[in-house]
Amino acid sequence: MKTKLLFLSISLTCLAAYGQQIPIKSAFIKLNAEKLHARVREWPYPANGITVPNNHPALLWPGTNGKKMILPMESGSSDSASNVISGVTYKVMLSHDKAFKNAVITSDAQRWAMYPLHQALKPGHWYWKYGYSVNNGKWTWSDVYDFVVGQNNTDEKIPPPVDVVLARNEGPHPRLWNMSQIGEKFYRNNLQNPEAKKFIAFAERIMNTPLPSEKPMREIDTTNKTPLEKKLIIERMYHGFGDFVGTPVHNLCIAYQLTNDERFIQDAKKRALIIARMDPDGLATSDDFTSGAVLEALGWFYDAGYAFLNNDEKELIRNVIRIRAKRVYDHLPNRFELHVCDNHVWQITMRNLAIGTVAVVNEVPEAKEWLTYMYEVWSARFPILGTTDGGWHEGNGYFRVNFQSFIYLSQMFGDFSGVDYFQEPWMQNLPYYMLYTYPPNSASTAIGDMWENIPNMNKGQAWFADALTYKINNPYLNWYVSQIKKDNPDFFRGTDVFLLFRLLNYDPSRRLPVLSPATLPKSRIFPDVGVVAMHQDLANASKSLSSYLFSSPFGSSGHGHASQNAFTVNYKGKTIFGGSGYYSNFSDRHNLLYYRTSRAYCTILADSLGQKLGEEGYGWIPRAISGDHIQYALGDASNAYGDIKSEFWLDRFKQINVIPDKENGYGDAGVKLYRRHMLQLDGEYIVLYDELEAAKPVKWTTQFHAPYYKIVAQPTNNANQQNLEVETDLGKVNASVFANSPLKMVVHDQFTEPAVNWAKVTDDEGQIKDFKPQWHAGVTSTPAQKFRFLTLIQVKDGKPEVLQTLTDTNSIIHLKIGQWEIQAQLDGNQPAALQVTNSQVGSLFNYGMLPVNMAGKNYKPEIPGSSMLLEMQQGKVIRKEVVDELPDVAKLDYKSKVN
């Protein structure tokens, strides 16, 4: 099996994984891969002689159906049981010896396509291969792959083998949260805990609430709805039912463990027995989320209340746990571990399954396999939508759906393994992602599914950040939480889903050092997920300007959108420019024809066509610089355009009888190049410079969306310039777009596909969302094969500065606004060039071959085509120069993918 070619060419010094180097030729990297992340694994890892980042890598490979190595997933839901290939088992062989004759590590036969190592490998070259067998038949072996363990890979604690984990769960009940070992300490440690006392009073009130019954959470009219819409509406009617009936059970179990008061466990028992008798196939508890919540609640009670059950009751609950657990687990091996991210499982149902499994691991024979699989997939794949940068590619709207599982599965698997998963690199960088992309008392990034539900700080983000302070020692995180508590004291007056975590880690002597992010760089890149966050004042984002550039190596997978090279602008904590539309459903007409498409974002259309859906529609962030007065990022969305190839998304269109053709905004316009330079300048300015090229002349459209404010066209006396204003209550917002040929602008307040809240979707407060019109502007060129846009956005608290055109000759425009001068080459047939200068503060950015002079001295780029920032600091010129750098997903597999 050959790993597919990833790069068309790399002609720069590419510091590939851990110091291996390709000679310098140019500043640019051109990616030619169809995708960087596959929806379902298509290539083995690690391979091609890369140096792995630790000394116990997880070995990953494509699944098989017994006939070919790539597992052909059915179009449709990733949760479909039909996608699991039964009867297939795998083995792995690993050795220093390419012939596998000496010192061979061999796995047992297993049902899943992953092998996380639970031992440290010695430094040096390693070889591995995997084989598969169908129905205990002959073994078919893969090619041999190789990787290198570096000399300095002395690593964090290595997760122990699974037999150690199983042995640690052989003790008596209660097993969850290691309670059989720490139960007395837990009880005594929280006797004087004010939060525990408040929670006990809350649990007293739970016992006065009605016992559960199977009825909808809400009534929704299904008249004149399609069969698919009716199905989804019925699911919506029962959405949250499992948590509604299950949460009181585990809250009462916690109250019992805090007090030893049997009233709590007896009331939990009454409720648990009622929900145990609910029909697993009924409307109330048959879908994955509601059934999972019931499974978790029954696991909680079976474990905590084991001594209060007679044999018949134990058998009843065990059987129901087994039925509901199998519904989750039977969909997992040889499928779930292969997915880039099976959202529902990672978000919720794996946590449900884990809690139910641990409760019965010694009483239900299959449960040991369930626990083995979950521990192995956690060891091999966590975190799933980030690598080390702490980011999350789907945006912060849906990121929060994962928070509870992040916290409790990290705690649980840490209890089993002795590994502190909160010390993983991704976890350690997570506070910075939260701080930069979702500052206190401010809007977030306005990207991805359900972003519009979080126009400001929300409770889930606040509670999650607070929970992290119990395990992550970061003074900036502590500052973040302290500011949220100051701005939103009501968030912390009741109980929440992280209460148990706080009780488990309660330390009355805890003191949290706080450090303001004013000491941090103004901008930060998160390359693994393709986000650059730029701030005027990170410590006071709710009073200043923030902007974001997005270009994700994951493409528009899952809850992510086709928003490569899109930008968001926030001012005084509110979104000025950003995404638009509404999350009415994962894949209804409004979602597939507008909300998740490029039409809904501040990015580029080519002949009115947007980017493709799926992992194939990817971008990346090649460059970023953080300076004192200039923040800079470069996004590359050259690979994002074309026909949709993802079978998953094509099936979603088929389900609603829509063809993703040019009439509906999809198709191949022949885009070959789309690199967007974005700068945030002191004085509240943003500059965009777009390099565009297609296989043939196309009309290029740069878009602006103002989800909360009105856009108004402004007059212009230059055919090559268009101006707009956003009417806000925050100050003056103006944007001007320049080109080398005539431009036309359209301003309107309609969606290309109407937004209808047919499913009665609610906001975070439970109120039915009002899908109001929003304002949009599109600035379109005449047909051109190569093209440039220059955009200047001014956001002012007060009178805006006058924009002056100093010169416009030889297609190089020279603008002045405030203290800044901007020069740009607008002729697409000439080499690209952009220069931004502020001589008063001593700051200069240069891209391209325009003459560079600062403080009377001439400068040249060390590498032609680089991006260079010069800033005067204490009488000295500080130089920062960057060229394209690959994200880790490309770095770690570069050798076989480079011409």
Side-chain angles (χ1 to χ4, degrees), residues 224-226 228-229 232 449 561 580-600 613 644 649 651-666 751-759 761 771:
N224 297 324
K225 303 300 181 186
T226 67
L228 177 60
E229 288 174 338
L232 295 171
D449 275 353
H561 288 185
S580 61
Y582 299 94
Y583 187 80
S584 46
N585 175 262
F586 182 74
S587 53
D588 66 0
R589 288 185 61 89
H590 177 69
N591 190 295
L592 292 181
L593 297 180
Y594 186 78
Y595 180 70
R596 83 169 51 248
T597 78
S598 307
R599 290 173 167 180
L613 300 186
I644 297 176
W649 288 109
D651 183 71
R652 290 289 173 159
F653 282 97
K654 184 178 180 181
Q655 288 180 28
I656 61 170
N657 298 315
V658 171
I659 299 172
D661 55 14
K662 292 185 176 181
E663 182 179 343
N664 286 314
Y666 294 99
F751 302 114
T752 52
E753 178 64 30
V756 179
N757 193 358
W758 55 271
V761 175
F771 288 2

Side-chain angles (χ1 to χ4, degrees), residues 599-671:
R599 290 173 167 180
Y601 283 92
C602 301
T603 189
I604 300 284
L605 303 180
D607 275 347
S608 299
L609 305 180
Q611 298 161 7
K612 51 195 165 189
L613 300 186
E615 290 76 14
E616 296 84 359
Y618 70 90
W620 61 298
I621 304 287
R623 307 179 188 181
I625 304 175
S626 182
D628 290 340
H629 307 287
I630 295 177
Q631 314 307 314
Y632 167 73
L634 168 63
D636 192 325
S638 305
N639 302 88
Y641 293 80
D643 294 320
I644 297 176
K645 298 180 180 180
S646 167
E647 289 297 324
F648 176 85
W649 288 109
L650 290 172
D651 183 71
R652 290 289 173 159
F653 282 97
K654 184 178 180 181
Q655 288 180 28
I656 61 170
N657 298 315
V658 171
I659 299 172
D661 55 14
K662 292 185 176 181
E663 182 179 343
N664 286 314
Y666 294 99
D668 188 1
V671 174

